């Protein structure tokens, strides 16, 4: 395979990953009751869809062919229909973001073209920021639950 074919194949894999990530995040958003977390996950999903579109434009630039929306990846349902806990949603989103970050790091090892590389670096930086935010949200929820338990204990002994 020549360098151009490797670049296009790598970009297609990232495009599929972004569409799959967007679907996962939308599904997680639908399973939440908390409006602020639901909005947060919807914004993350929207951003991943935008990344897929940008990658499609890069593929179009290099191949001259329009890239159809990918439907090759289906999201495995981890939960039965219904509501999912906040912690479980954050854990699933964090796992997905880490896997996506790893795919971007591998892609950056294969792609060395200026404009394409800049797009990938920007996406990678966003994913790193999302991982940081999700970890912070996870620890905040853990702290909040611990504080609520302590308050319940104080009220029950009074």
């Amino acid at each position: 395979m020549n360098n151009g074919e490797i670049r296009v194949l790598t970009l297609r894999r990232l495009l599929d990953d972004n569409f799959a990530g967007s679907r996962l995040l939308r599904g997680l958003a639908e399973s939440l009751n908390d409006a602020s977390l639901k909005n947060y996950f919807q914004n993350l999903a929207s951003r991943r869809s935008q990344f897929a579109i940008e990658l499609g434009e890069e593929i179009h630039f290099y191949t001259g062919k329009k890239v159809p929306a990918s439907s090759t990846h289906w999201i495995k349902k981890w939960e039965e229909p219904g509501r999912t806990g906040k912690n479980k949603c954050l854990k699933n989103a964090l796992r997905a973001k880490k896997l996506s970050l790893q795919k971007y790091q591998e892609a950056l090892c294969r792609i060395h073209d200026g404009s394409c590389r800049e797009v990938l670096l920007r996406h990678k930086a966003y994913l790193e920021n999302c991982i940081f935010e999700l970890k912070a949200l996870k620890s905040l929820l853990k702290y909040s639950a611990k504080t609520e338990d302590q308050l319940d204990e104080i009220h029950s002994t009074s």
Side-chain angles (χ1 to χ4, degrees):
M1 248 192 242
N2 67 24
N3 192 28
E5 291 171 342
I6 292 171
R7 178 182 49 236
V8 170
L9 181 63
T10 303
L11 290 174
R12 284 187 191 274
R13 286 183 183 154
L14 289 176
L15 177 115
D16 288 343
D17 180 61
N18 277 294
F19 276 130
S22 177
R23 284 192 301 268
L24 171 70
L25 290 165
R26 288 187 201 288
L28 291 174
E30 290 174 10
S31 69
L32 288 167
N33 287 326
D34 188 313
S36 59
L37 274 178
K38 184 179 280 209
N39 187 40
Y40 177 71
F41 278 110
Q42 287 171 341
N43 286 338
L44 290 178
S46 176
R47 187 67 182 242
R48 292 296 296 269
S49 292
Q50 182 61 39
F51 286 174
I53 291 168
E54 289 176 15
L55 291 170
E57 291 171 355
E58 287 292 320
I59 294 170
H60 177 71
F61 175 75
Y62 288 110
T63 63
K65 299 176 185 172
K66 188 164 176 130
V67 180
S70 176
S71 62
T72 58
H73 291 278
W74 297 97
I75 302 299
K76 180 178 112 179
K77 293 288 183 186
W78 289 305
E79 296 293 318
E80 296 176 8
R83 296 293 173 196
T84 306
K86 295 175 190 177
N87 287 329
K88 190 144 189 140
C89 284
L90 287 172
K91 185 178 177 181
N92 289 340
L94 189 57
R95 185 179 332 127
K97 292 285 184 184
K98 285 180 179 179
L99 288 172
S100 292
L101 179 63
Q102 184 178 6
K103 289 176 185 178
Y104 269 92
Q105 289 170 332
E106 291 169 4
L108 284 166
C109 290
R110 292 186 188 119
I111 296 175
H112 307 289
D113 297 333
S115 66
C116 186
R117 190 165 174 82
E118 286 190 28
V119 168
L120 296 179
L121 285 170
R122 187 170 35 83
H123 291 188
K124 180 182 172 259
Y126 178 79
L127 289 172
E128 288 170 338
N129 186 50
C130 285
I131 289 171
F132 177 77
E133 288 175 354
L134 288 167
K135 284 180 180 178
L137 282 171
K138 191 175 174 185
S139 62
L140 182 64
L141 285 175
K142 199 180 287 186
Y143 175 76
S144 175
K146 186 177 179 181
T147 305
E148 286 177 14
D149 290 343
Q150 290 173 345
L151 287 174
D152 288 343
E153 187 177 308
I154 291 171
H155 290 294
S156 66
T157 58
S158 299

